[in-house]
Structure formats: structure tokens, C-alpha cells
Amino acid sequence: MSVWLAEAPNFGVVELLVILVVLAVVVGGVAALVIVIVKAARPTRPIHPMGPPPNGFASGPAPQQPTFAAPPAAQPWRSQEDLATRVRRLKQEGRTDQAIHLVIGETGMGQSEATQFVNGL
């Protein structure tokens, strides 16, 4: 055995881990300092907001838009007549069941209440 090995310090696992952690902290600190210095030395550029590409897409030609027929004219969701007038018209046409369903849908009445309402008109 050589003399150097006999005089070498006896490092255990804990001591080696402590040395590695200290070394890692020092290396990380130096790397962070280098990054800060490089960013500070870089010339600043004005930041311009990006607008949309000219054709609306990142690259390539604009896709062809399909042509559709004009939509139908908007229909009023409710007739201009009041409920009683519509119910009377349905009864005159012999469509009593539809009149009852119309009353249920418009008012939220139950079946028997709507039937009484339609029969009462």
C-alpha cells in the first residue's frame, strides 16, 4: 500500500453527498448568474403585437368558402294573435286536441286545466 492512500481522508457516503450538494449549488448559482448577465447585455427590441396573417391562416392559400343559399326569412316565434283567438280558430277548424296542446305549451297548465280552458271558450 502506498503512503498516499494511508494518509487519505476517509470520506463516507454522507460526506460525499454533502460535497456533491454544495458543488451543485455553486454550479447552479454560476449558471443563473451567467444567464442574468447574458439577458442584461442583449439589446432590447420593441414588442409589436402580432396581427392576423393576411389570409387568416399561418401559411398556405385561403380555403374556399362553400356557397350556401340565403337562409329563409326569420319567422316570428309567436303569432301576433292572443292565445284565446288562436284557440278559438283551432276549435272552429275541428282541431280541439291541438288547441289543448297549444294552451299547455303556452301557459304550462295541466291537461285537465287546459281542457277546461279550451271548452270554456
Side-chain angles (χ1 to χ4, degrees):
M1 214 168 170
S2 84
V3 176
W4 184 81
L5 287 178
E7 296 175 3
N10 188 8
F11 290 125
V13 175
V14 175
E15 290 85 4
L16 289 175
L17 286 176
V18 169
I19 292 171
L20 287 176
V21 168
V22 169
L23 185 63
V25 169
V26 169
V27 169
V30 169
L33 185 63
V34 168
I35 290 172
V36 168
I37 292 172
V38 167
K39 283 188 176 183
R42 186 180 325 161
T44 58
R45 295 179 296 174
I47 298 174
H48 298 286
M50 288 182 52
N55 61 2
F57 293 92
S59 64
Q64 298 297 323
Q65 296 293 330
T67 56
F68 295 105
Q75 299 293 323
W77 67 278
R78 197 176 274 199
S79 173
Q80 300 298 327
E81 300 174 332
D82 66 339
L83 178 62
T85 305
R86 290 183 283 161
V87 169
R88 284 189 196 102
R89 186 171 24 87
L90 287 172
K91 274 183 67 175
Q92 288 173 355
E93 294 172 1
R95 297 164 43 189
T96 307
D97 288 341
Q98 287 182 345
I100 293 170
H101 287 291
L102 175 66
V103 171
I104 292 171
E106 293 275 332
T107 64
M109 290 184 186
Q111 180 79 27
S112 61
E113 295 170 317
T115 304
Q116 288 175 354
F117 178 80
V118 170
N119 291 337
L121 290 177

